[in-house]
C-alpha cells in the first residue's frame, strides 16, 4: 500500500467495486423508469389536502408529482435525484404543470404546486406556467411553492422571473 501511494498508484477493493457497480445499476434502472414514464406522459399529480388547524377544513390542496410506471406509482425519492439538472426534469415539470392546472380547472379549490428554481429559470416552463395561470378564471387560486433546497441562493433571480407571470399566483 505504501508503495502504491508513493508511486501514485491506486488499490481497489473488489467488494467496493462490486457495491459501486450495484449502486450504478440501481441508479440506471431508476433513471430508465423515470425516462420511460415521462416519455409516455405518465406524470401524475397527487392532490393532498392541507387542513386548517382550528377548523379542520381543507385550506388548500398541494399538488405533488408522482410517476406511473407499469401500473405502479413511483415515489419522487426514487426518480427526482437522478433527473435533477437534466432536460428530462424540465419535461416532467411541464407535464406536471399541464396536468395540475387541467385537474384544478375542474373545481374552485385553492391549490399549490411545488416548483424548483430550475423550473422557473427555464423559459419554456415559465411560459407554460404563465399561460396556465392566465387560463384560470381566478388566478389567485394558484400557489407556487419554490423548493429552495436545490438552490437557496437563487431567490432574487426567481422573484424577477415570477414577475413575468403577472398577477395571480401566490408565491409560497
Amino acid at each position: 500500500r505504501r508503495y502504491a501511494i508513493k508511486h501514485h498508484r491506486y488499490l481497489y477493493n473488489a467488494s467496493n467495486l462490486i457495491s459501486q457497480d450495484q449502486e450504478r445499476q440501481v441508479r440506471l434502472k431508476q433513471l430508465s423508469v423515470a425516462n420511460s414514464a415521462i416519455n409516455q406522459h405518465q406524470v401524475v399529480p397527487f392532490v393532498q389536502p392541507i387542513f386548517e388547524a382550528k377548523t379542520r377544513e381543507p385550506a388548500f390542496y398541494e399538488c405533488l408529482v408522482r410517476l406511473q410506471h407499469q401500473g405502479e406509482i413511483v415515489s419522487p425519492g426514487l426518480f427526482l435525484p437522478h433527473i435533477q439538472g437534466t432536460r428530462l426534469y424540465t419535461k416532467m415539470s411541464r407535464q406536471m404543470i399541464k396536468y395540475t392546472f387541467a385537474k384544478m380547472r375542474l373545481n374552485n379549490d385553492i391549490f399549490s404546486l411545488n416548483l424548483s428554481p430550475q423550473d422557473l429559470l427555464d423559459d419554456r416552463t415559465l411560459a407554460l406556467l404563465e399561460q396556465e395561470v392566465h387560463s384560470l378564471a381566478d388566478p389567485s387560486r394558484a400557489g407556487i411553492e419554490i423548493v429552495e433546497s436545490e438552490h437557496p441562493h437563487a431567490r432574487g433571480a426567481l422573484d424577477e422571473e415570477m414577475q413575468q407571470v403577472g398577477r395571480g399566483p401566490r408565491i409560497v
Side-chain angles (χ1 to χ4, degrees), residues 39-154:
N39 285 330
Q40 294 175 13
H41 298 275
Q42 296 296 308
V43 175
V44 181
F46 266 40
V47 180
Q48 150 181 314
I50 305 297
F51 294 95
E52 286 283 344
K54 290 182 181 179
T55 64
R56 298 179 194 240
E57 296 289 322
F60 67 95
Y61 293 86
E62 184 176 30
C63 302
L64 306 169
V65 68
R66 300 290 186 271
L67 296 180
Q68 186 170 350
H69 180 70
Q70 297 180 344
E72 293 186 21
I73 299 299
V74 182
S75 170
L78 296 177
F79 63 87
L80 281 180
H82 306 294
I83 66 170
Q84 285 176 332
T86 68
R87 285 181 277 165
L88 193 58
Y89 186 89
T90 55
K91 186 175 182 178
M92 178 209 60
S93 293
R94 285 192 293 271
Q95 287 181 29
M96 181 66 180
I97 291 168
K98 283 181 193 176
Y99 299 151
T100 297
F101 277 84
K103 187 176 241 185
M104 298 314 285
R105 255 191 299 278
L106 300 175
N107 58 52
N108 292 319
D109 296 322
I110 297 171
F111 66 98
S112 74
L113 178 63
N114 296 340
L115 296 176
S116 72
Q118 179 181 341
D119 298 324
L120 298 176
L121 296 174
D122 180 77
D123 291 336
R124 288 179 57 199
T125 304
L126 192 61
L128 174 64
L129 178 62
E130 184 176 2
Q131 173 188 333
E132 292 292 344
V133 164
H134 294 302
S135 74
L136 292 173
D138 179 10
S140 67
R141 292 189 312 120
I144 306 300
E145 187 171 339
I146 300 170
V147 182
E148 293 191 34
S149 61
E150 290 178 41
H151 303 286
H153 59 278

